[in-house]
Amino acid sequence: MYSDRLKRISVSPTQQITSETDNLKRQGIDVIDFGAGEPDFFTPKHIKESGIAAIQNNVTRYTPNRGVLELREAICEKYHKDYSLNSASDEVIVSAGGKQALFNVMMAVVNEGDEVISHTPGWPSIFEQIRLAGGRPIFVDTRAENGFKLDADSVVGAFTPLTRAIVINTPCNPTGAVVDPTVMEEISRVAHDADVWVILDLCYERLIYDGSGRDLLHIARDLNPDRTVLIGSLSKSFAMTGWRCGWAIGPKGLIDACNVIQGHSTSNACSISQKAAIAALSGPQEPVDEMREEYRKRRDFLLGRLSEDSRIRCNSPEGAFYLFPDITEILSHEGIRTSQNFSELLLKEFKVAVTPGEAFDSPGFLRLAYTAPIPRLSEGLDRIMNFISSVDRR
Ligand SMILES: Cc1ncc(COP(=O)(O)O)c(C=O)c1O
């Protein structure tokens, strides 16, 4: 009835939580939502106005498949300004979000049976896209006790003659960890020698709190120029998840290949979103800085609250907007056995949505998105702590 391809993958577990949460909200129930991986901020006004103007000016037709030239140039200019990265407009393709940009790349480089290395805990769509493209994901673990830092030796140790690509997500969803420049250097060198693609998912790149990890792009491109591709997006940094606008920047041959794939699937990203994207990238950048500073306050607030229970162990993430606490000491055979059960009961009994670590192949952990104002996060933490006290009494 359905294709074999579909049997390789499963529904996004993060989407399951989102739909259960939506169900409760639709019934008028007050759910505090740490589940959704998207900003609570509104898209900045000047960007929205540019979208509205695009509709009024009838920018409502197909655009070039790979995106309008003005936007591709704006993307090149932005990376040049921020990272002194030189790229030409024909090395850029605009897609319906970073997710589609990543999907195009996967379809363009992965053959049936190829191995693609990536790190866990990690964003499930990376692994499922590898499988959809016919590849086999090879998981390299990162560990809480090392701040979930990616280790070059583990990645290099996972290389085999079948290795086709490595996907690195930094800052990482769900851990917030940022890859160290020395690690990027080592991986890029080895990838270059082995003729392996390095796919850098930098969708949270504007949400790095301390300014480190910003020269990764340079390192990767300088050391492996013909086999490095970066994925970017407006979704997280500009609070534009619904606009669906992301991109890939890589060697012209790869971008041409992505263009062919996109040309037979979705064609161009939304024409209106492309206009808004130009306003986002070329206009004032203060809204991004303001949102990042607010995320930082929320991160610190939540870390403070979580530290009230010594059984919860949590790293301070360097980027993105997620905490990834280890709650194994709260779980037990007699009480709540898994982080999945913990999340289900927390939602059912205390109306707080969190994503269980199982969604990221990391049982015993929870992902908390701090995408709500501090008073709301505070109320959510009260409920979580009350839930934990009730668990202790069970
Ligand atoms: C690690 C990572 N990469 C890429 C994306 C894609 O985002 P979008 O398609 O909205 O640009 C997401 C979204 O959750 C993500 O978490």
Side-chain angles (χ1 to χ4, degrees), residues 97-99 123 169 173 201 203-204 233 235-236 244:
K99 197 180 250 185
W123 186 46
N169 170 219
N173 173 11
D201 177 347
C203 288
Y204 295 89
S233 167
S235 289
K236 317 290 177 172
R244 310 308 302 131

Side-chain angles (χ1 to χ4, degrees), residues 37-258:
E38 66 176 337
D40 55 314
F41 298 108
F42 296 129
T43 302
K45 190 159 173 271
H46 70 283
I47 303 175
K48 289 194 285 196
E49 279 167 357
S50 162
I52 292 165
I55 296 175
Q56 277 164 350
N57 293 328
N58 298 309
V59 185
T60 51
R61 300 217 159 112
Y62 291 131
T63 75
N65 186 60
R66 60 179 72 208
V68 292
L69 181 62
E70 204 189 345
L71 173 55
R72 286 182 287 122
E73 284 175 350
I75 292 169
C76 295
E77 266 170 46
K78 184 79 193 113
Y79 282 90
H80 187 258
K81 198 161 165 244
D82 290 355
Y83 304 102
S84 317
L85 194 81
N86 291 318
S87 36
S89 56
D90 60 1
E91 294 173 315
V92 180
I93 181 167
V94 177
S95 301
K99 197 180 250 185
Q100 192 198 6
L102 192 60
F103 185 74
N104 289 337
V105 170
M106 230 55 109
M107 296 301 278
V109 306
V110 177
N111 281 318
E112 212 52 51
D114 281 347
E115 293 180 357
V116 180
I117 301 170
S118 195
H119 44 92
T120 55
W123 186 46
S125 291
I126 292 175
F127 312 130
E128 301 298 38
Q129 288 192 359
I130 295 169
R131 293 189 178 104
L132 268 178
R136 194 157 79 85
I138 304 295
F139 304 106
V140 167
D141 288 340
T142 62
R143 310 188 68 80
E145 48 276 29
N146 304 328
F148 293 108
K149 282 289 195 181
L150 188 63
D151 162 51
D153 288 345
S154 314
V155 175
V156 172
F159 270 66
T160 76
L162 294 179
T163 306
R164 185 69 163 187
I166 306 163
V167 187
I168 295 177
N169 170 219
T170 174
C172 173
N173 173 11
T175 66
V178 171
V179 169
D180 285 337
T182 50
V183 171
M184 192 73 247
E185 224 176 280
E186 174 71 6
I187 293 173
S188 299
R189 251 185 245 292
V190 177
H192 176 260
D193 293 346
D195 201 22
V196 159
W197 286 98
V198 175
I199 303 166
L200 285 177
D201 177 347
L202 300 176
C203 288
Y204 295 89
E205 149 249 347
R206 302 287 303 275
L207 301 176
I208 297 179
Y209 297 110
D210 64 5
S212 69
R214 290 183 176 275
D215 38 3
L216 297 180
L217 265 181
H218 251 301
I219 296 170
R221 284 262 294 230
D222 290 352
L223 295 174
N224 191 20
D226 301 330
R227 294 282 179 270
T228 296
V229 53
L230 75 94
I231 309 293
S233 167
L234 295 178
S235 289
K236 317 290 177 172
S237 39
F238 288 89
M240 291 179 71
T241 44
W243 296 76
R244 310 308 302 131
C245 192
W247 50 83
I249 307 179
K252 183 176 177 308
L254 172 64
I255 297 305
D256 288 346
C258 292

